[in-house]
């Protein structure tokens, strides 16, 4: 296996990395060995004055260390050795007697960027495909090949912490501003500019650098007291964001501090020791599994492999219903899929409001420099609106996001079918109504499918695609691929009430209502669940979703699943008091100018309950979590999701189930079916039949089975 090829020009050795048979370059032990042998050869070659490292892949520099290798790590010591090996290799690059220039196009991440950091000059392309960063903490580890030591020295402490602690990557222009790279050029001249830089460095020597930082930064970061302040604030921010559930960013902060305060050798020791300790944790294992699940879903068309399908390419989108969801679907589609989107509603003023909201999504990206002005103008021109179906004959896909009512949705389907071409697809964004019920009267039921987006559409990464019983494979694949083009992670779920995400969420939200009825204070419930790892608690989530929407969904679920999913009385009473949640600034919380402040104490009077003492966060967590786990097991046994992978990704990306726990199905495997059953039986005795363990869990206990068989 030869990953590297070398050519030479004017005494500059051009080393090209192109891992055979791999879509991306990644660094594993074999590649590092080959690299080391190669530069040792070039060290002794008198004709070689400098080296340029460049990728042979069309759109990828180096995606980092081989993450698959982590799944084979058997011990902390083995992981530590992996990091030490990486550090030593980068040391040899940094101390190489001839200049080494990194010519970067495409993702340059993790060990890939750590290699660039060890090089003496970095040239990157201005392509949107080029991103530079250290995403390791997103895998539950830290940069283990010198990144924690070299990046702060290159760009300054706070700028480096901003990247390392969040696992960020930056586009080339921002990376240049930060000092992460030295030059940014069009792809067409990357090689040329890198060669010129290598020649210049070989001739004039490697320039001394100082982090490009403002005077105030230099002042703060230039003094031990100032740096201590930075470390303390960074620690507070990490804890506020992670709730202490993610050890990697705190460990990385420690390593950066040790490297700056005690010197590089101590920094490297701390780096490989902490890397070793983190790489074998369940948190890292779960985050690495999530990485592989999402990359696998990027290629999964939602139908069995080998299915003969003719996908329908979506070039023009129609959206019926220009409310909150419809407008966001149109705006997100234009932004990410860059196609024409036509918004329809019954009256022009509503259409206008929807178009304004859709363009608002583009405005927000312009404001954050994620779009140039010309890109913004070009994309905004793709949006149009109408109060009739004019222009819909050209649509390849029409998504309806109208009122959550079966009759209304059936009427819209009939109207749209009368307009669109036979091969065009009709998708419904219903969140609970079975697709087969909506498709019942369809002329072309094989072209009807559910596409369930989550609010806010432009930010929530998940899309549930729900085929009905007569939807054909071509329609499924088209919807899945379109969802991916919109930047979504797509799972295909079966047409059961509530689909997957709302199915496992309903009992969790119901039980939160029951706890409030029992006198458990709202803030105790929400704090218990954010401490457990959810981004927001159930009461705050109900306010976000909208209590009217939640009530509709809970009625459908109660209708479908009976007593077990009996909704609490809380949501109904809130609605009686005209409390819809954030949308009318009246919910469980007080909203001031759109900002959520504390719990609205008046809700207890509205609900006729007196908040009581004596409840523990653990008791709250157990009741809410185990109801969700049990429902996940039930829905899994009914085949609602195609695999445990899809179920867990759905929970993580749909409702923010804590990624460090891996997802409800992975968590039950970690707890063991027996322990889950025993806990549910205890809760059943204490709180009622809704906690009766799912039969599949009993069976798994008897047979020692897991949701992830491997
Ligand atoms: N290791 C192993 N496989 C990888 C990989 C990696 N680093 N990166 C990508 N792949 C595989 C992926 O599984 C998929 O495989 C294929 O490549 C295409 O990926 C010491 C220890 C680079 C932005 O976290 O973010 O360095 O499914 O579909 O959408 O400090 O992949 O085809 O078999 O995602 O164009 C840090 C991870 C590692 C970056 C490309 N690096 N990768 O996205 O393609 S830790 C990362 C990505 C580290 C050091 C530490 C993305 C990408 P398959 P894809 P894409």
């Amino acid at each position: 296996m030869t990953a590297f090829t070398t050519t030479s020009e004017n005494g500059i050795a051009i080393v090209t990395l192109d891992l055979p048979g791999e879509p991306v370059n990644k660094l594993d032990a074999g590649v590092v060995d080959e690299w080391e042998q190669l530069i040792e050869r070039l060290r002794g070659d008198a004709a070689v004055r400098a080296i340029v490292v460049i990728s042979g892949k069309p759109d990828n520099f180096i995606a980092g260390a081989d993450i698959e290798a982590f799944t084979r790590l058997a011990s902390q010591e083995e992981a530590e050795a992996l990091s030490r090996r990486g550090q030593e290799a980068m040391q040899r690059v940094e101390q190489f007697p001839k200049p080494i220039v990194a010519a970067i196009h495409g993702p340059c991440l993790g060990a890939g960027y750590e290699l660039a950091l060890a090089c003496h000059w970095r040239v990157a392309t201005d392509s949107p495909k080029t991103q530079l960063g250290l995403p390791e903490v997103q895998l539950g580890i830290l940069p283990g090949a010198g990144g924690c030591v070299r990046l702060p020295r290159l760009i300054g402490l706070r700028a480096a912490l901003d990247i390392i602690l969040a696992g960020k990557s930056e586009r080339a222009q921002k990376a240049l501003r930060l000092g992460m790279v030295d030059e940014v050029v069009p792809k067409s001249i990357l090689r040329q500019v890198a060669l010129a830089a290598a020649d210049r460095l070989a001739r004039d020597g490697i320039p001394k650098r100082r982090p490009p930082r403002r005077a105030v930064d230099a002042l703060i970061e230039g003094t031990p007291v100032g740096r201590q302040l930075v470390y303390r604030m960074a620690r507070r921010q990490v804890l506020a964001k992670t709730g202490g559930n993610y050890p990697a960013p705190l460990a990385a902060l420690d390593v950066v501090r040790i490297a700056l305060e005690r010197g590089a050798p101590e920094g490297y020791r701390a780096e490989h020791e902490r890397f070793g300790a983190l790489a074998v944790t369940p948190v890292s294992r779960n985050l690495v599994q999530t990485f592989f699940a999402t990359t696998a879903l990027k290629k999964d068309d939602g139908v069995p492999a080998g299915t003969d399908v003719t996908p329908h390419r979506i070039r023009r989108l129609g959206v019926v219903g220009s409310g909150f969801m419809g407008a966001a679907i149109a705006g997100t589609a234009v932004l990410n899929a860059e196609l024409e989107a036509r918004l329809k509603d019954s009256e022009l003023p509503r259409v206008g409001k929807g178009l304004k909201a859709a363009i608002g999504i583009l405005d927000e990206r312009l404001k954050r420099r994620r779009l140039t002005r010309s890109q913004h103008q070009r994309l905004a021109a793709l949006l149009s609106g109408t109060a009739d179906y004019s222009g819909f004959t050209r649509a390849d896909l029409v998504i309806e996001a109208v009122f959550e009512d079966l009759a209304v949705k059936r009427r819209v389907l009939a109207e749209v079918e009368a307009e669109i071409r036979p091969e065009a697809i009709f998708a419904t964004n219903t969140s609970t109504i079975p697709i087969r019920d909506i498709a019942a009267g369809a002329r072309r039921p094989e072209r009807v499918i559910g596409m369930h987006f989550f609010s806010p559409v432009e930010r929530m990464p998940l899309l549930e695609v729900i085929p009905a019983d007569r939807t054909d494979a071509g329609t499924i694949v088209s919807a899945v691929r379109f969802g991916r083009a919109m930047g979504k992670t797509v799972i295909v779920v079966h047409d059961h009430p509530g689909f997957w995400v709302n199915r496992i969420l309903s009992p969790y939200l119901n039980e939160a209502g029951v706890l409030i009825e029992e006198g458990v204070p709202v803030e105790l419930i929400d704090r218990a669940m954010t401490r457990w790892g959810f981004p927001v608690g159930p009461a705050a989530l109900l306010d976000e979703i909208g209590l009217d929407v939640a009530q509709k969904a809970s009625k459908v679920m109660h209708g479908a699943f009976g007593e077990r999913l009996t909704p609490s009385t809380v949501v109904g009473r809130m609605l009686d008091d005209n409390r819809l949640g954030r949308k009318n600034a009246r919910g469980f919380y007080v909203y001031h100018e759109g900002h959520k402040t504390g719990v609205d104490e008046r809700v207890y009077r509205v609900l006729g309950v007196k908040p009581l003492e004596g409840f523990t966060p653990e008791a709250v967590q157990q009741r809410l979590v185990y109801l969700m786990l049990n429902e996940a097991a039930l829905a899994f046994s009914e085949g609602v999701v195609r695999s445990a992978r899809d179920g867990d990704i759905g929970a993580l990306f749909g409702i923010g189930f804590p990624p460090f726990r891996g997802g409800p199905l992975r968590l039950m495997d970690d707890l063991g079916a027996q322990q889950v059953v025993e806990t549910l039986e205890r809760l059943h005795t204490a709180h009622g039949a809704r906690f009766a363990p799912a039969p599949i869990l009993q069976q798994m206990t008897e047979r020692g089975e897991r949701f992830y068989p491997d």
Side-chain angles (χ1 to χ4, degrees), residues 22-27 59-60 62-70 82-83 86-87 90 107-114 129 131 133-136 138-139 141-147 271 275 291-292 294-299:
E22 291 286 346
V24 300
N25 285 326
K26 49 192 177 178
L27 305 181
D59 289 318
N60 177 267
I62 302 173
D66 181 359
I67 302 172
E68 263 156 61
F70 303 166
L82 190 79
S83 168
Q87 290 175 336
M90 302 312 175
C108 172
L109 303 171
Y113 184 58
E114 287 172 300
K129 293 196 173 109
Q131 41 169 323
L134 299 172
E136 282 86 345
Q138 296 182 24
L139 297 168
I141 52 174
L142 50 73
E271 190 181 78
F275 179 92
F291 168 75
F292 284 120
T294 46
T295 51
L297 277 166
K298 286 180 188 172
K299 283 171 275 299

Side-chain angles (χ1 to χ4, degrees), residues 576-594:
D576 296 345
D577 189 48
N578 185 30
R579 289 175 178 271
L580 306 184
R582 178 188 280 279
K583 64 176 98 177
N584 75 343
R586 285 172 58 80
F588 289 102
Y589 288 85
V590 176
Y591 295 88
H592 187 60
E593 285 158 14

Side-chain angles (χ1 to χ4, degrees), residues 244-371:
N245 290 318
Y246 294 86
L250 293 176
L253 176 59
D254 259 1
V255 173
V256 168
R257 178 180 55 75
I258 290 167
L260 278 178
E261 304 307 325
R262 298 194 218 147
E266 286 266 344
Y268 287 125
R269 192 189 358 267
E271 190 181 78
H272 63 240
E273 284 170 1
R274 303 294 175 88
F275 179 92
L278 290 167
V280 291
T281 58
V283 171
S284 178
R285 186 215 53 204
N286 287 338
L287 296 177
V288 166
Q289 291 301 342
T290 300
F291 168 75
F292 284 120
T294 46
T295 51
L297 277 166
K298 286 180 188 172
K299 283 171 275 299
D300 184 333
D301 278 340
V303 292
T307 307
D308 176 22
V309 292
T310 330
H312 185 58
R313 197 154 152 247
I314 313 297
R315 277 170 289 237
R316 287 181 207 83
L317 173 68
V319 178
V320 182
S322 62
F324 188 64
M325 291 299 282
I329 290 169
T332 307
V334 163
L335 175 69
N336 297 332
E338 300 196 7
L339 81 170
E340 286 177 46
R342 191 162 178 76
L343 209 46
K344 186 241 179 236
D345 212 307
S346 49
E347 297 135 29
L348 277 179
R350 287 173 62 84
V351 174
K353 197 160 166 258
L355 282 175
K356 192 159 172 283
I359 290 172
I361 292 173
L362 306 178
D363 297 347
E364 195 260 336
R365 293 302 166 99
L366 181 67
K367 213 166 63 205
R368 289 195 302 128
R369 296 188 193 192
R370 285 293 176 174
L371 280 181

